[in-house]
Amino acid sequence: MTDRALAVVRAGALTTVQDLGRPGHAHLGVPRSGALDPSAARLVNRLVGNADGAAVLETTLNGCAVRPRCAVTAAVGGAPCAVTVDGRPAAWGAPVRVPAGAVLEAGPAVSGLRSYLGFAGGIAVDAVLGSRSADLLSGLGPPPLSEGSVLPLGTPRGPSPAQPDAAPWPGPPAELVLRIRLGPRDDWFTPEAPAALASGAYRVSSASNRIGLRLEGPPLRRAVTAELPSEGLVLGAVQVPPDGRPVVFLADHPTTGGYPVVAVVDERDLPAAAQARPGAPVRFVPAVRPSHSSGRRHSSGRRLDSRGRLDSRGGHGSRGGHGSGGP
Amino acid sequence: MRVLPMGDRALLVELADAAEAQALHAELLRRRAAGSLPPVREIVPAARTVLLDGLDDPAALARQLPQWAVPPLSAAAQEVIEIPVRYDGPDLAAVAACWRTSEEEAIRIHAAAEYRVAFCGFAPGFGYLTGLPEQYAVPRRPTPRTSVPPGSLALAGPYTGVYPRSSPGGWQLIGTADTVLWDPAREPAALLTPGARVRFTVERR
C-alpha cells in the first residue's frame, strides 16, 4: 500500500469525507451532499494549497485524530478546536506540518459543531458520480470514518501558499437568524405560520443531522390537510412534517418529498445553520427580494453561528419521515 | 400551469396531472438539448410538478413558461427498456385479490401495460413508473417491511417500481428482476431515468 495515506486513530462522533458534493443528479434521486460549511472546506483547502473542491474531513462536535503515513501539510478550520500534533499544540486555521507517523488531532469544537481537516493532495478515495462526498441519506461515497480505517491521500499540487489566508471565525451569536422566502406551499398553512416562524420560539433539536436541521417549537398548523403528491426539494427548504415542526434541509436532503415546504432559507445562512448546536434558538426573518435586473442577491447578511449542545449522528438509510410517498 | 418560486434560485412548476408534468419535463429536456433553455442545475420531475433549480434569473423564466406550447407526450421513436421479471412476489396473491382476479390474470395485466418513468426519488435509481390503468391502483402495505430484497418489483397507489437495492419498504411486492437498476460506474448510473419507456416481460418462475 502506498505511503500517501491516513490511518484513522480516533473517528469521533461522526467524521465523513466531503468535497463540494454531487449536484446535477437530483432527477435520479441522488442528493447533492458535500461539506455543510463549504466556505470552511474551501478555506482549509486553500491553506494547504489544494483546489477548492479537494476532499476534506468533516467532523461533528468532538473532532477526530488521524496518523498520516507520510509527512503532509494539513489545516484545521471551521468550528474552532484545539489542534495537536503528537500531543503538542499546533495552529488552528493555519497550515501545520505533520511528520510521517505523527498523530494530528482536532479536539472537541469550542463553538460551532463541524471542524474541517484539509490535507495537501486531498483525501483521494474513489469518486462516485464525480464526488468523493459521503452521502448519509443514500449511502453513496465512502462510509463515515471508523477507527483503523485508512484513507488514501492525493498528490500535492505544489507548495502551500507562503502567505496563507486568515481564518476568521465570528463569535457565536445569541440566536441563529435564518432569512427565508415564503413558499412554495405557504398557502397550505394557517395565516399565523409566518408570525410563528418569526417568533424566535424555535430551538435546534438534537435529532438534527446532515440531512436536516430539525427544530423544536410551536407546530405550524395546516390549512390544507390533503396529502401532497411528492415534489422536488431544494437545499434550505423548510419542510413541515405532520407534527408541524419545521425541518431545514441540508446537503444530504432527499430529492423529493411529500410534505409541504412552507419556505426556503437563503443558502448563505445554511453554513451557520450547520454549525448550530442543539438547543440554539432559531428565528426566521423575511429575506429581501433579489433585484430583478442584476441577478445578484442582496448582501446585507452577516455570517451567524450558534451555540448549544449536540450528540447527534447522521445515520445511513434514514429515509423515513420526509414525505408520505416513499416506497 | 402554476409557476411557484422556491427560494431565490428555483421554480416549482405545478401542472394539472402526471401526464402534463411528464410532457413539460420532456419539453424542458428538448429545449436544454437544443441550447434554448437558460442554464439550470437540476430538472426534477415529480408526481405533478417539475422543479427547476439553480437558475440565475428564475423570474424571467417564470414569465416565459406559461407561454410555451408544450406538445403532449408521444411514444414515437423512443426506445423501450425491457425488464424481465419473475412474478413471484410475496404480495402477488394479495394484489390479485385486490384486483378480484387470479394470479395468472394479474400477471397478464401487469405485463401487458406499457410504463413510463414519471420521476425518481426515495433512493438513487428508484423510478416511479406510471402506466398501469387507474383501476389497478393498490394501497401500500399497512406495515412496511424492514427489508425489501433488491430487484423487487412493487406496486403502490398508481405506481410501479423496482427496488434498486435492499431497503425498508411499504409497497406490495409482486415479482423479482435481475436487471441492475443502479450502477454508479455506468453512464447514466440509473437504468430508469425520468421519461424512459419501460415494459416488463414474464420470465418463467
Side-chain angles (χ1 to χ4, degrees), chain A residues 185-253:
Chain A
R185 299 295 178 194
D186 49 322
D187 57 351
W188 281 52
F189 296 87
T190 60
E192 294 77 33
L197 287 168
S199 67
Y202 293 96
R203 286 180 183 275
V204 175
S205 158
S206 61
S208 300
N209 55 26
R210 283 186 45 86
I211 298 165
L213 188 77
R214 293 179 179 275
L215 301 181
E216 292 158 357
L220 299 180
R221 304 207 183 282
R222 291 266 288 263
V224 178
T225 53
E227 196 166 294
L228 181 75
S230 285
E231 55 192 31
L233 290 169
V234 299
L235 187 67
V238 184
Q239 196 195 53
V240 184
D243 71 5
R245 294 190 170 84
V247 179
V248 179
F249 276 134
L250 303 178
D252 286 358
H253 71 82

Side-chain angles (χ1 to χ4, degrees), chain B residues 38-58:
Chain B
V40 56
R41 189 177 58 239
E42 311 274 7
I43 300 177
V44 188
R48 60 174 193 224
T49 56
V50 181
L51 170 71
L52 296 157
D53 191 14
L55 292 162
D56 285 334
D57 190 354

